[in-house]
Amino acid sequence: MANKNAPFHPIIYVRGYAMTPGEIDETTADPFCGFNLGSTVYRAVPEKERQPRKFIFESPVIRLASDFGYQDVYEEGYDILDPEWEADPDNKVPSRAIIIFRYYDEASRLLGIGQTPNISQFADKLRLLILRVRELVCKNPANGIGEDDFRCHLVAHSMGGLVCRALLQNPAAEFRAAVKHVDKLFTYATPHNGIEMVGVNIPKWLDMNDMKNFNRDYMAEYLNIKDAFKATGRVDWLPEDSFPSERVFCMVGSNRMDYEAALGMSRTFAGHGSDGLVRIENAALHGWRRSGKNKGSAGDSCAKAFAYRAHSGFLGIVNSEEAFQNLTRFLFGDIRVDLWVDVEQIRLPKPVQDEVLAGRKVSALYQFEILASPRGKLWYLTRRTAEEDSVACLSHEEWMQAPAQRQALYLSSVFLANRARVNPRRRSLAYSMTLGVRVPDYEVDRRLWVNEHYEGGYLFRDSIILEMVPPKAEGDAWQVKYAWQGSGVSKADTAIDAKLLGDSRMEVCVPFGSSGSPGMQGQLRFIVSLWNKEAAGN
């Protein structure tokens, strides 16, 4: 029997790392382990000296309750793991429940013995919690769920994402029995490829305060990916036989300057291109093929989006509107759009092209910026800019390896929801996206080429509005329109055909490009699919 509550499954929150005994005690003393914290400020520009804009975000817990009818499971001072909780026959767990995985309780000096278990033990306790939530949700007749049809969402911050991965990637039968009930995983600022300070990975021998949890050698052990680590030197892999990569979303922060931990030393040591603790390049997951024809190679990337937020704090990524909107659209949304750019032609400045013809080596790094926001909103679902070190990059050398073929570059994923439409009578789902392509400089035989160089210039920059009307019935076609705003058009008015890919997916390709030299030609490629379609018929 299908789960009639889909996609509104119970949400299990898994908090991040607490370093000192005092931080562990503080975590233990907080009923929601920090997920109840909101913020009243929003930094719209990278300059820290600029005053933030007032923007009230009540907290993820309150918004899930007010917007989607979720509720916590605390009653009379107890939670669902306490015998006293179940002793009261009136205590029942609804399908739309928020459960906090309080894994630091036994490590605290307040409620435990002051000794911290390792991550594998945390993962085992998460396994037991999932099975406990399944038992209680299925016992509630109002939910109408059988044990085989129970599903839950895992939402994790920082190290919490590693705890979730230690569960999902464990091949033991008792772990697989719990993993099959996980519907989706959403991570905020998780160091999926470990933590680096001054460019060096945390050493494995650093047992103090369990910091070795972020060492790649140790991570490869508890994440069960020694083969992938040996082949690539990275641990940000999700084996395809453990959990489907399309069911994972990674929220990446790019604002290191507002991370105040360790009196600001953390952001200094983490450096540019980080959220103050986790480097941007280490904060997302990728699929890994452990068997089959392409064994030992990368699979599909997990969905990801970028926000100009710090690792934590009142300008942190968890208590932000941008991350919350990505979270709820990923968990409950209707449409998934994966954004790609296909580079088909690159034109160098004529003097640089002359150097190529003379046999000299030319180097350049093309930076792709993207800003995407839904209709009627004042924030971005994803934000990648050069100033925030979050751009997608393509080197000229990579392009020259296959100049006759289009070079595909993944930019981000956007989830859209019917409930979020400004005008409920409009069936269309729409968002705007600004695409910018920059090349900071060119090098000729490793010497900087500065002739006719203008700092901050773009090869291409324009905004596009994409509007989509999903099919009313199976077999009907999508209706898609777009408009480039640089042409003076204020709304989508150019119809475009969508290429059906099967399995409720389609591909929409929109050409872009600039004339003259230097310049670039290519296409934006939108892979659009129905999301949570298994819930649509319930």
Side-chain angles (χ1 to χ4, degrees):
M1 181 178 69
N3 188 331
K4 67 178 183 179
N5 302 285
F8 298 98
H9 306 300
I11 296 174
I12 298 177
Y13 270 104
V14 188
R15 69 148 289 138
Y17 172 64
M19 177 182 290
T20 66
E23 290 176 353
I24 292 175
D25 290 344
E26 184 178 352
T27 296
T28 304
D30 184 340
F32 295 96
C33 296
F35 291 108
N36 55 321
L37 299 179
S39 180
T40 61
V41 291
Y42 173 83
R43 194 179 297 286
V45 294
E47 293 83 8
K48 190 174 181 181
E49 294 75 17
R50 296 275 295 273
Q51 183 175 0
R53 189 177 80 201
K54 182 178 180 181
F55 188 97
I56 296 176
F57 174 68
E58 302 95 322
S59 83
V61 170
I62 292 178
R63 286 290 293 277
L64 282 168
S66 62
D67 294 3
F68 299 97
Y70 273 77
Q71 63 187 76
D72 66 64
V73 292
Y74 296 137
E75 291 290 344
E76 300 293 333
Y78 301 107
D79 69 14
I80 59 175
L81 297 180
D82 298 320
E84 294 87 349
W85 186 93
E86 196 169 16
D88 188 338
D90 293 330
N91 289 344
K92 294 181 174 61
V93 176
S95 180
R96 301 194 190 197
I98 297 173
I99 299 96
I100 307 298
F101 178 29
R102 299 182 53 83
Y103 63 86
Y104 268 129
D105 278 9
E106 69 176 274
S108 76
R109 298 167 299 185
L110 301 175
L111 300 177
I113 59 176
Q115 294 182 0
T116 306
N118 60 42
I119 281 198
S120 296
Q121 291 171 313
F122 285 154
D124 189 48
K125 293 181 182 300
L126 177 58
R127 173 185 70 88
L128 296 174
L129 177 62
I130 291 172
L131 297 178
R132 173 65 170 160
V133 174
R134 181 193 65 172
E135 174 191 356
L136 295 175
V137 168
C138 296
K139 281 177 60 176
N140 184 352
N143 296 325
I145 304 173
E147 288 194 351
D148 289 340
D149 299 308
F150 169 80
R151 296 294 183 272
C152 66
H153 301 305
L154 299 181
V155 179
H157 175 232
S158 193
M159 191 185 78
L162 301 181
V163 174
C164 293
R165 287 180 61 194
L167 164 79
L168 299 176
Q169 297 176 209
N170 192 312
E174 62 268 27
F175 278 78
R176 306 320 299 168
V179 170
K180 71 178 184 180
H181 297 296
V182 177
D183 188 68
K184 302 184 187 80
L185 167 66
F186 184 99
T187 67
Y188 299 94
T190 289
H192 289 294
N193 192 45
I195 288 179
E196 299 172 7
M197 290 293 163
V198 199
V200 178
N201 185 215
I202 297 293
K204 188 176 182 179
W205 50 260
L206 191 57
D207 280 332
M208 181 183 65
N209 297 325
D210 300 295
M211 293 183 69
K212 72 173 184 179
N213 289 338
F214 311 109
N215 169 266
R216 294 185 189 112
D217 287 286
Y218 185 53
M219 292 172 68
E221 294 176 16
Y222 68 73
L223 294 175
N224 189 40
I225 50 169
K226 291 182 180 179
D227 53 346
F229 176 56
K230 183 178 179 180
T232 66
R234 301 183 66 87
V235 292
D236 47 356
W237 301 111
L238 181 67
E240 292 184 339
D241 58 358
S242 63
F243 193 76
S245 58
E246 66 269 16
R247 310 296 286 183
V248 178
F249 192 107
C250 301
M251 196 73 210
V252 183
S254 61
N255 175 11
R256 74 183 183 99
M257 294 308 296
D258 283 318
Y259 189 55
E260 303 294 346
L263 301 177
M265 288 189 293
S266 174
R267 64 171 179 248
T268 300
F269 294 145
H272 291 283
S274 74
D275 62 10
L277 180 63
V278 180
R279 295 195 59 78
I280 292 172
E281 63 187 15
N282 294 333
L285 270 174
H286 313 274
W288 180 259
R289 300 183 179 98
R290 203 142 55 180
S291 61
K293 180 180 178 181
N294 298 310
K295 179 181 178 181
S297 63
D300 295 332
S301 293
C302 299
K304 61 182 176 181
F306 299 76
Y308 186 61
R309 306 292 295 201
H311 188 77
S312 62
F314 54 82
L315 282 164
I317 195 166
V318 174
N319 52 345
S320 69
E321 183 75 23
E322 306 99 300
F324 178 78
Q325 292 295 335
N326 275 287
L327 169 69
T328 56
R329 282 167 163 78
F330 172 66
L331 297 185
F332 317 132
D334 306 292
I335 303 292
R336 172 177 180 151
V337 185
D338 294 304
L339 312 177
W340 293 78
V341 61
D342 298 329
V343 180
E344 298 172 345
Q345 184 184 40
I346 294 177
R347 294 184 300 277
L348 296 169
K350 187 178 183 308
V352 177
Q353 182 63 37
D354 292 341
E355 298 286 355
V356 173
L357 296 176
R360 296 182 178 87
K361 181 180 179 180
V362 170
S363 299
L365 187 67
Y366 302 99
Q367 301 177 344
F368 294 80
E369 300 180 332
I370 175 177
L371 301 168
S373 61
R375 179 169 51 203
K377 305 302 179 183
L378 300 176
W379 33 260
Y380 296 113
L381 282 173
T382 191
R383 167 171 159 164
R384 308 185 70 172
T385 69
E387 290 81 4
E388 297 160 18
D389 303 308
S390 55
V391 290
C393 294
L394 172 68
S395 71
H396 192 73
E397 290 87 342
E398 291 172 328
W399 161 253
M400 289 302 296
Q401 288 176 4
Q405 303 174 8
R406 69 185 187 185
Q407 188 79 36
L409 196 66
Y410 170 73
L411 298 179
S412 199
S413 296
V414 170
F415 292 81
L416 303 173
N418 284 317
R419 60 173 171 77
R421 290 201 300 261
V422 176
N423 185 344
R425 290 175 295 181
R426 297 173 68 175
R427 290 190 63 240
S428 65
L429 296 166
Y431 69 96
S432 69
M433 190 187 85
T434 298
L435 174 68
V437 185
R438 305 173 72 169
V439 53
D441 50 55
Y442 299 92
E443 290 184 1
V444 178
D445 282 345
R446 298 190 178 183
R447 297 175 64 179
L448 187 63
W449 183 81
V450 295
N451 296 340
E452 302 178 43
H453 172 76
Y454 295 93
E455 188 65 30
Y458 284 85
L459 293 182
F460 175 85
R461 194 172 195 270
D462 203 348
S463 297
I464 186 174
I465 291 178
L466 187 73
E467 188 166 4
M468 300 167 288
V469 178
K472 288 185 177 180
E474 187 174 351
D476 291 350
W478 289 72
Q479 299 176 38
V480 184
K481 296 187 294 183
Y482 78 94
W484 285 107
Q485 299 302 283
S487 60
V489 180
S490 60
K491 65 178 182 178
D493 62 355
T494 302
I496 189 169
D497 291 331
K499 176 183 177 182
L500 296 179
L501 302 177
D503 192 28
S504 303
R505 295 191 307 149
M506 69 170 182
E507 179 183 79
V508 177
C509 297
V510 179
F512 77 92
S514 55
S515 59
S517 298
M520 180 178 288
Q521 299 284 144
Q523 64 180 6
L524 282 172
R525 184 156 46 93
F526 304 86
I527 306 297
V528 184
S529 57
L530 295 176
W531 187 242
N532 287 318
K533 57 183 181 294
E534 69 277 6
N538 294 333

